[in-house]
Amino acid sequence: MSRNLLIWVVALSVWASSVWAAGPGDGTPDTAAKGKPLQLLERVLGLDEQQVSELKGLLETRQAAIAETQAAVNGLKSELKSVLQDAEADPVVVGGLVLDIRDTALENRAHQAEFLEAFNALLRPGQHARIEQVRKISAATKAAEVMSQLRLLR
């Protein structure tokens, strides 16, 4: 089984290398990941200009929502800090603030879920298949690292 996994990882790595090499720039994943993640995504998934534009809008919307949520969390944390400075802080108030902080922070999960739903909606079927390939590459790479650390691969 480990031999098949290794063959599969190598095959997917070759495929990924060919995708990176097919795009503009020097084709290295490091360069794309550091300075131009959208260009890398565009090449790997084969996004058109309209999809890239929509993706940029989705990313900006998500970032604004997360920033707003974080500002609310920070405000609640400041309020909690002030309440806790009082030696006779009401435990009900403290508990309520802690729950409010947790609930507000959980809103970011909802923002991410909305983003992923909208992102998946803008993709074509072939692009969904490429995302699955990338997920498999990621899982196989992690498995290969663990197997290598355990000296299961030769």
Side-chain angles (χ1 to χ4, degrees), residues 72-85:
V73 167
N74 291 343
L76 288 167
K77 284 181 177 180
S78 293
E79 188 177 344
L80 177 61
K81 185 177 180 180
S82 341
V83 168
L84 289 174
Q85 289 176 348

Side-chain angles (χ1 to χ4, degrees), residues 45-126:
L45 297 179
L47 300 176
D48 61 32
E49 289 180 28
Q50 177 67 28
Q51 289 174 307
V52 172
S53 176
E54 289 180 38
L55 178 56
K56 285 178 183 178
L58 291 173
L59 289 167
E60 289 170 4
T61 300
R62 179 183 66 177
Q63 186 58 38
I66 288 173
E68 185 177 319
T69 301
Q70 191 58 47
V73 167
N74 291 343
L76 288 167
K77 284 181 177 180
S78 293
E79 188 177 344
L80 177 61
K81 185 177 180 180
S82 341
V83 168
L84 289 174
Q85 289 176 348
D86 182 2
E88 297 179 19
D90 182 359
V92 173
V93 172
V94 170
L97 285 169
V98 168
L99 292 175
D100 287 346
I101 291 168
R102 183 204 62 192
D103 292 344
T104 304
L106 287 175
E107 290 177 21
N108 283 338
R109 287 186 183 175
H111 298 314
Q112 179 64 15
E114 291 167 7
F115 167 78
L116 288 174
E117 184 178 326
F119 174 69
N120 284 319
L122 72 87
L123 297 176
R124 295 185 301 272

